[in-house]
Amino acid sequence: MNVVLVGFLASLLAGLATFVGALPILLPINLTQRIQGIMLGFGGGVMLAATAFSLIVPGTEAAENIGYSRAIAALIMVVGILLGGLFLQVAHHALPHEHFLKGRENCRGKSIKQIWLFIAAITIHNFPEGLAVGVNFGSGNIEQGLPIAVGIGLQNMPEGLVVALSLISERYSTSYALGVSLLTGLVEPLGGLVGAGVASIAQFILPWAMAFAAGAMLFVISDDIIPESHRKGLETEGTIGVMLGFVVMMFLDIALGG
């Protein structure tokens, strides 16, 4: 079985769930800000649980299986998580991009088209998700990779809808909103390809790759998802979403994981 191909396809399907989630904008629906806050929080909760149950825990076990002591395995997780967060921090400050809440960041001029700023923000946000899916499948354990692929796909659907609705509220066209949602999905298989490829090279890389993906996910959760879900005084709704997303992903990992 080609684990790299499987990891790529799994992350592609999870990523395309973002586009599927955006399709309801074609219908005459009107989601309140409170519901959008819950939906964004849900995505953050899924990512938080995936970081713990699908990356840190199996990454620690992978390090111990190689022969490291529990203390060294824990140290690998610490260093890898910090490296993943540092990588996202560097990317965050290096790439000009645009948030719905915070606006433009690192833009030294106004010549950059807004579509490219959104795509840059999407890349920073979604690449770690694809990386996490790919790393799990790259280990060769389908049962270990399935929960995180399903969980990321589930959290991508409400996220895709919120992004599309946000674009429409800023007077962008429906086709533009759907196009950005599709591009969002196409970022994740790139991360999946990298994650599966790196994890499949050698067994000793697997715990480092999992820790790195966990750190990147934690950065996105804290820097992007939670602030967006708390916008306009919707902290309670965002927190409800985080709790719901966390328990859903926890259930998937326990029920579907090996």
Side-chain angles (χ1 to χ4, degrees):
M1 178 178 58
N2 190 328
V3 294
V4 176
L5 178 60
V6 173
F8 172 79
L9 292 176
S11 58
L12 175 62
L13 291 175
L16 290 179
T18 307
F19 177 73
V20 174
L23 290 177
I25 65 171
L26 298 173
L27 303 174
I29 61 172
N30 182 25
L31 293 181
T32 65
Q33 289 292 323
R34 296 185 66 184
I35 294 177
Q36 292 184 46
I38 292 173
M39 292 168 69
L40 279 174
F42 179 87
V46 168
M47 291 175 68
L48 186 60
T51 297
F53 297 110
S54 297
L55 291 171
I56 295 175
V57 171
T60 303
E61 293 174 351
E64 290 185 282
N65 290 337
I66 293 172
Y68 292 114
S69 68
R70 180 166 287 271
I72 296 299
L75 182 61
I76 289 173
M77 290 298 104
V78 169
V79 175
I81 287 170
L82 294 178
L83 288 174
L86 178 62
F87 173 79
L88 260 289
Q89 175 74 1
V90 171
H92 185 266
H93 283 284
L95 289 174
H97 56 282
E98 179 159 352
H99 296 275
F100 294 116
L101 177 65
K102 293 182 282 187
R104 295 191 174 200
E105 291 189 2
N106 306 322
C107 299
R108 296 177 176 81
K110 296 184 178 181
S111 60
I112 303 176
K113 290 186 177 180
Q114 195 162 29
I115 177 63
W116 296 111
L117 295 176
F118 280 132
I119 291 171
I122 287 165
T123 301
I124 295 172
H125 180 133
N126 283 25
F127 184 84
E129 296 178 5
L131 186 68
V133 174
V135 165
N136 271 273
F137 279 95
S139 67
N141 188 340
I142 299 298
E143 289 185 345
Q144 183 172 290
L146 184 60
I148 192 169
V150 173
I152 293 297
L154 285 176
Q155 75 95 17
N156 277 341
M157 294 179 73
E159 182 179 282
L161 180 56
V162 170
V163 168
L165 289 172
S166 299
L167 287 169
I168 289 176
S169 70
E170 296 294 325
R171 302 188 184 283
Y172 289 96
S173 67
T174 300
S175 59
Y176 182 94
L178 288 174
V180 171
S181 297
L182 179 60
L183 287 171
T184 299
L186 295 180
V187 170
E188 291 199 14
L190 298 179
L193 190 62
V194 172
V198 169
S200 66
I201 291 174
Q203 195 67 22
F204 77 90
I205 298 178
L206 181 60
W208 288 99
M210 285 187 160
F212 185 90
M217 293 261 281
L218 282 174
F219 183 94
V220 170
I221 294 165
S222 179
D223 188 73
D224 191 6
I225 297 291
I226 291 178
E228 289 283 351
S229 69
H230 285 193
R231 72 192 190 282
K232 298 182 180 179
L234 299 176
E235 293 88 351
T236 300
E237 288 79 1
T239 300
I240 291 172
V242 169
M243 297 288 291
L244 291 174
F246 188 92
V247 297
V248 167
M249 184 62 213
M250 181 186 69
F251 174 82
L252 288 173
D253 193 270
I254 295 172
L256 300 180

